[in-house]
Amino acid sequence: MALKTDIEQLDGGRKLPLVEDFYTIQGEGFHAGKPAYFIRLGGCDVGCRWCDAKYTWNPRLYPPTDVRTVIDRATACPAQAIVITGGEPLLYPLGVLTETLHAKGLEIFLETSGTHPFSGYFDWVCLSPKRQQPPLDEAFGKAHELKVIVGDEADFEWAERNAARVGAGCILYLQPEWSVAERMMPAIVEYAKAHPKWNISIQTHKYMHIP
């Protein structure tokens, strides 16, 4: 996916291809259950077949938005945490957005596949590695949380390969791919019981019927 034209339009990160921003409850991973303001950016070159946000993939559908607009909306709501997600947010320079939000006293959480160089300030990085485009080396050292999506039993080996590369303090999660969650959950439960370094993440927001 050619992004050169898009990058030139972003004015060093003062504008970003915003898909949507909204106040909700984080549904998965370490911060599940926490109220947070979500900022979802358009553009992804990883292309997971089971992605539930395929509408975000083409960044040209989302004209660059002044980050001050997003910052004003985020700081006007009660949330003390910001989740930056996508798409793949690391396609873009995130310094202006994240450093301004952090300066206003907000915690900044990143959801990423780790496939592009890091930019910006983050209090928490959730790394979700994908087979078809594995993370860059630097992503493993920055991850506070490793969240591996499990669609079949072969994904347990993929999970272990990635777990071997993160830091000792990184929290490990196995999360069933939603369309096969009921079928895969028994195997995930047994795997976690046999390998208790792993926790299980469930997409609780789908049960709560919230975004």
Side-chain angles (χ1 to χ4, degrees):
M1 181 183 297
L3 287 163
K4 185 173 186 294
T5 302
D6 301 314
I7 292 295
E8 290 172 348
Q9 295 174 354
L10 299 182
D11 191 18
R14 294 175 181 83
K15 296 181 179 181
L16 292 170
L18 179 70
V19 176
E20 56 189 348
D21 56 316
F22 52 91
Y23 187 29
T24 189
I25 305 294
Q26 171 63 284
E28 54 193 61
F30 180 79
H31 292 287
K34 186 179 186 67
Y37 196 85
F38 273 61
I39 298 172
R40 187 183 301 280
L41 302 180
C44 185
D45 54 2
V46 180
C48 302
R49 60 173 178 74
W50 39 258
C51 177
D52 57 7
K54 290 181 180 178
Y55 60 92
T56 69
W57 286 4
N58 184 355
R60 293 178 179 83
L61 298 177
Y62 307 101
T65 299
D66 192 319
V67 298
R68 291 174 297 183
T69 302
V70 184
I71 291 166
D72 287 346
R73 289 198 290 255
T75 55
C77 85
Q80 296 301 302
I82 304 292
V83 176
I84 299 178
T85 187
E88 174 45 66
L90 289 181
L91 284 166
Y92 309 108
L94 299 178
V96 175
L97 175 64
T98 59
E99 288 159 21
T100 304
L101 289 168
H102 183 71
K104 294 179 179 293
L106 298 171
E107 290 185 292
I108 314 299
F109 305 155
L110 174 69
E111 302 268 350
T112 182
S113 62
T115 53
H116 292 271
F118 276 68
S119 66
Y121 176 94
F122 306 104
D123 295 284
W124 189 269
V125 173
C126 174
L127 174 63
S128 185
K130 306 302 190 298
R131 289 178 183 272
Q132 66 271 28
Q133 192 169 338
L136 301 179
D137 289 344
E138 71 167 317
F140 294 100
K142 293 182 180 294
H144 299 89
E145 169 186 352
L146 179 72
K147 185 174 64 184
V148 180
I149 308 303
V150 179
D152 57 49
E153 295 203 13
D155 288 328
F156 294 131
E157 186 272 337
W158 168 246
E160 294 292 354
R161 281 166 52 192
N162 286 275
R165 300 186 64 186
V166 297
C170 185
I171 302 172
L172 307 180
Y173 286 94
L174 300 170
Q175 178 170 297
E177 192 271 296
W178 179 253
S179 70
V180 296
E182 287 195 20
R183 175 171 60 82
M184 285 304 302
M185 188 59 77
I188 294 172
V189 168
E190 291 307 312
Y191 192 89
K193 286 165 64 178
H195 305 84
K197 66 182 180 182
W198 289 99
N199 304 280
I200 296 176
S201 170
I202 300 172
Q203 292 181 292
T204 62
H205 57 290
K206 293 189 176 181
Y207 293 98
M208 290 186 279
H209 305 291
I210 59 175

